[in-house]
Amino acid sequence: MSVQERKQRERAERERLIVATARELAEQQGWDAVTTRRLAERIEYSQPVLYSHFRGKREIIGAVALEGATEMAAALRAAASAADGPRARVTALARAYLDFAERNPAVYDAMFELDGGLAFADEETPEPLKDGFAALLESLGEVAGEGVHPGLFTEVFWAALHGLATLTRAGRLPTGDAERRVELLVDRLAVV
């Protein structure tokens, strides 16, 4: 291995460490606790080293969001592929989405609530975000209904899931009705 290859590998490892540490700190204490100074202390590198990877917290949030989008897409596809039939796939997809949001609140915030400097619904949208939407579209497109654009239907269904995720987490919805909400969402929106 050449010196250049070793340096590139070490740089990639440092970058993964920064993102993992930011994610861990955000999940434990919230995004306000994630500062470049604190990250530098935790990863045992200087702040200039951290800044050689990311220009600031915004880019770190973006990196966490991209990682989260990849993980969410995999979880959605796994849930949908384990289900049999369109209704079961959509129900499994909805449950997996809400479960991901509940288990990974800081990552979910990075993906959809915080400014990570990422473009959505645009030509400049990074591939992991496009793939996350594609994971939704794969199951939801088949239940959009006649004359309904699959992408538009997916946006509306996704918006409903996002609303359920954020309202539940904020304590705005009564606990105990999560399953009934998913069933109602699938029954009323999906043509199965």
Side-chain angles (χ1 to χ4, degrees):
M1 174 184 303
S2 73
V3 172
Q4 182 66 23
E5 289 171 329
R6 182 183 54 79
K7 286 183 178 187
Q8 287 174 339
R9 188 187 77 234
E10 289 171 354
R11 179 172 176 74
E13 287 172 8
R14 268 194 316 272
E15 192 165 302
R16 280 191 296 276
L17 177 62
I18 293 166
V19 172
T21 304
R23 182 176 175 165
E24 178 184 320
L25 187 57
E27 291 292 1
Q28 291 171 353
Q29 300 176 31
W31 278 104
D32 287 342
V34 179
T35 64
T36 53
R37 181 177 175 199
R38 245 175 142 180
L39 284 174
E41 288 171 2
R42 283 217 175 177
I43 64 172
E44 298 178 343
Y45 283 99
S46 67
Q47 280 184 290
V49 169
L50 194 140
Y51 282 116
S52 75
H53 291 273
F54 299 99
R55 286 183 285 194
K57 183 176 176 177
R58 181 178 187 220
E59 284 189 6
I60 294 168
I61 290 169
V64 170
L66 294 176
E67 189 175 271
T70 299
E71 292 170 10
M72 180 182 268
L76 296 177
R77 285 189 175 105
S81 70
D84 188 29
R87 179 182 175 70
R89 273 191 294 282
V90 172
T91 301
L93 176 102
R95 287 180 185 139
Y97 183 98
L98 295 171
D99 182 58
F100 182 89
E102 182 182 345
R103 285 184 298 104
N104 304 283
V107 173
Y108 191 82
D109 284 349
M111 292 168 64
F112 302 119
E113 300 292 324
L114 301 174
D115 179 10
L118 303 174
F120 281 81
D122 189 269
E123 288 181 20
E124 301 297 316
T125 301
E127 200 53 45
L129 297 179
K130 289 179 182 178
D131 190 51
F133 186 78
L136 291 167
L137 181 63
E138 289 161 10
S139 291
L140 295 172
E142 69 180 323
V143 297
E146 191 174 324
V148 178
H149 188 278
L152 184 61
F153 177 78
T154 300
E155 290 171 354
V156 170
F157 201 94
W158 173 30
L161 288 173
H162 177 70
L164 288 174
T166 56
L167 290 171
T168 299
R169 192 165 128 215
R172 303 292 197 269
L173 297 175
T175 58
D177 289 328
E179 187 59 33
R180 288 180 45 210
R181 287 185 190 101
V182 168
E183 289 172 11
L184 184 61
L185 181 63
V186 173
D187 286 344
R188 297 293 189 238
L189 288 183
V191 178
V192 287

